[in-house]
């Protein structure tokens, strides 16, 4: 009796050049590792740097001050994300190896362990790309009055896209993924802008 080989599905199908016929969470361990780190890094880059530059702009700071604060947030955040992912995924890989050696592979993984270097690189790259969106937008030659609203709008569009992309690959409900991205980012920017405005008034 022969057994037909099942083609990869979900993200695994995408990684092998095939388009899945429907939403399916099944994917290779390495593929999910890249996806998780990439989506997390992009969202963090967009939100954290947007909140930083909007908060500084709320204090009526000069363009050079906003650029300095945003650039520092980008570099610090990218390195922090990379180191955090490396430590976290290294612990996960150790657990996978122990389980595989004991004959109890995690999620049927016995040799395709998560790679901490892949996660760190994906997270750092995605953070940087995400962070460049609010940083470049806020530094464009807008009027002082338009600078924050335009940045806010650009960030919302970016968060909608990352939420949609995440749901597209994982099969999760698109509305939920997009909504939590937009709400979280909006809240972060609103709070930091308010704090920046209060500090600007105090000064």
């Amino acid at each position: 009796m022969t057994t037909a080989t099942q083609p990869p599905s979900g993200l695994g199908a995408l990684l092998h050049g095939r388009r899945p016929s429907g939403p399916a969470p099944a994917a290779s361990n390495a593929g999910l590792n890249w996806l998780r780190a990439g989506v997390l890094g992009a969202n963090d880059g967009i939100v954290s740097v947007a909140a930083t530059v909007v908060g500084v702009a709320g204090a009526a700071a000069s363009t050079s001050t906003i650029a300095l604060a945003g650039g520092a947030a980008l570099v610090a955040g990218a390195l922090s994300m990379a180191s955090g992912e490396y430590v976290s995924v290294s612990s996960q890989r150790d657990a996978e190896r122990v389980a595989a050696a004991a004959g109890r592979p995690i999620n049927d993984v016995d040799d395709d362990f998560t790679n901490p270097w892949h996660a760190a690189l994906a997270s750092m790259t995605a953070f940087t790309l995400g962070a460049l969106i609010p940083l470049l937008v806020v530094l464009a030659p807008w009027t002082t009055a338009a600078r924050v609203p335009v940045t806010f709008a650009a960030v919302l569009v970016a968060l909608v896209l990352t939420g949609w992309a995440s749901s597209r690959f994982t099969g999760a409900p698109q509305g939920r993924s997009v909504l939590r991205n937009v709400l979280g980012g909006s809240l972060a920017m609103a709070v930091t802008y308010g704090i920046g405005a209060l500090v600007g008034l105090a000064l």
Side-chain angles (χ1 to χ4, degrees), residues 39-70:
V39 171
L40 178 64
N43 282 335
D44 278 2
I46 294 169
V47 175
S48 62
V49 173
T52 299
V53 297
V54 166
V56 175
S62 64
T63 301
S64 59
T65 302
I66 295 173
L68 180 61

Side-chain angles (χ1 to χ4, degrees), residues 19-23:
R19 184 179 182 86
S21 58

Side-chain angles (χ1 to χ4, degrees), residues 107-173:
N107 296 327
D108 296 326
V109 174
D110 54 5
D111 57 3
D112 184 23
F113 303 119
T114 50
N115 189 314
W117 288 107
H118 288 174
L121 177 61
S123 184
M124 181 175 67
T125 302
F127 184 99
T128 301
L129 293 176
L132 284 174
I133 296 172
L135 184 57
L136 293 178
V137 171
V138 79
L139 294 179
W142 312 106
T143 64
T144 302
R147 186 163 53 192
V148 171
V150 171
T151 303
F152 198 98
V155 168
L156 292 186
V157 172
L159 291 176
V160 168
L161 292 176
T162 56
W164 175 86
S166 175
S167 66
R168 179 67 180 84
F169 282 109
T170 62

